[in-house]
Amino acid sequence: MRLLLVEDDDMIGAAAREGLRQEGHAVDWVRDGAQAEAAAANGVYDLLLLDLGLPRRDGLAVLRSLRAKGHEVPVLIITARDAVSDRVAGLDAGADDYLVKPFDLDELCARVRAVLRRRAGRSSAVLRVGELEVDTAARHVRWKGHDVALSAREYALLEALADRPGAFLSRAQLEERLYGWEEEVASNAVEVHIHALRRKLDPALIRNVRGLGYSLARDG
Ligand code: CA
């Protein structure tokens, strides 16, 4: 998934970005509220991790403004403000969840997974498509009952496709999911990962239609 991290504390931001990258997410990091609002408005993100105490524009003001403009991107607030009234204000402003600093990276990653799952209308962490099983909590894939070892990018790509079987994602959409701003993307990166997935799973599992992109066969 493509995440926008909004955090002005260098240490917390670096730790969160690293932890989320290890989960296979593409993470873009901005350090003030004005940048956050501009970046979030382009609609490319699957989730925002939003600090509240920020330079230039308060996180709560950013959230209210995004919601007022109709942006429905899931928002997980991460802040040191732990008063009940702050949490209530954050949730009422349209946040999906709220995590108080200091937090544990494992909990952050679990909350991100839970918010993404709820937004996709699922209660289980396991995606099942035909004979394919993608465990989004363990980041583990089984095909026809056998464990399959995938690289972090291969996994992220497969999860994106398994999230909406039958739907087509273009190469550009997949690149956006897989790579953040600072990462170099080889022009054939998506094709290379698709090739590896077809080899490790089944050549017929992922379809490619010219002009539409890639999709996972509904029957797995
Ligand atoms: Ca802050």
Side-chain angles (χ1 to χ4, degrees):
M1 300 282 168
R2 180 84 176 258
L3 314 182
L4 181 66
L5 171 65
V6 187
E7 173 59 74
D8 61 318
D9 183 299
D10 283 339
M11 270 179 59
I12 295 173
R17 180 172 63 176
E18 185 53 31
L20 292 161
R21 279 188 174 164
Q22 281 179 13
E23 284 262 299
H25 298 296
V27 184
D28 296 330
W29 178 11
V30 294
R31 291 169 172 78
D32 72 57
Q35 278 184 304
E37 195 168 338
N42 77 18
V44 74
Y45 295 104
D46 298 297
L47 181 127
L48 252 65
L49 298 133
L50 183 64
D51 182 23
L52 293 185
L54 289 167
R56 294 178 74 196
R57 195 141 198 228
D58 184 83
L60 212 50
V62 172
L63 176 58
R64 288 196 176 115
S65 165
L66 286 172
R67 293 299 188 236
K69 289 177 188 155
H71 292 288
E72 295 194 340
V73 58
V75 172
L76 170 54
I77 290 178
I78 307 175
T79 181
R81 297 181 195 167
D82 64 350
V84 171
S85 58
D86 288 322
R87 276 180 272 168
V88 169
L91 294 168
D92 280 347
D96 293 80
D97 200 359
Y98 201 104
L99 187 59
V100 175
K101 296 175 189 171
F103 55 86
D104 184 284
L105 271 182
D106 288 339
E107 182 176 359
L108 172 67
C109 292
R111 283 182 187 267
V112 165
R113 290 194 297 270
V115 169
L116 291 171
R117 214 161 54 219
R118 282 202 297 274
R119 281 299 185 111
R122 294 195 309 269
S123 54
S124 164
V126 181
L127 303 172
R128 285 194 182 81
V129 186
E131 302 204 65
L132 177 70
E133 260 183 54
V134 180
D135 184 334
T136 60
R139 302 175 42 70
H140 185 224
V141 170
R142 284 168 74 82
W143 170 246
K144 295 191 171 173
H146 297 287
D147 298 341
V148 183
L150 300 179
S151 73
R153 302 267 203 230
E154 289 162 9
Y155 173 84
L157 208 159
L158 184 64
E159 189 190 302
L161 293 172
D163 199 30
R164 291 170 61 211
F168 280 90
L169 289 170
S170 69
R171 191 177 82 179
Q173 286 172 318
L174 290 169
E175 279 176 359
E176 276 174 359
R177 291 280 199 104
L178 264 60
Y179 298 95
W181 290 329
E182 302 126 48
E183 297 177 271
E184 291 259 337
V185 189
S187 61
N188 66 341
V190 166
E191 282 87 347
V192 168
H193 297 317
I194 293 278
H195 178 77
L197 286 171
R198 284 177 171 152
R199 186 169 50 77
K200 291 179 180 180
L201 301 165
D202 185 308
L205 187 64
I206 299 169
R207 285 176 299 164
N208 179 16
V209 175
R210 216 181 163 77
L212 285 178
Y214 298 92
S215 98
L216 192 77
R218 265 203 199 84
D219 53 8

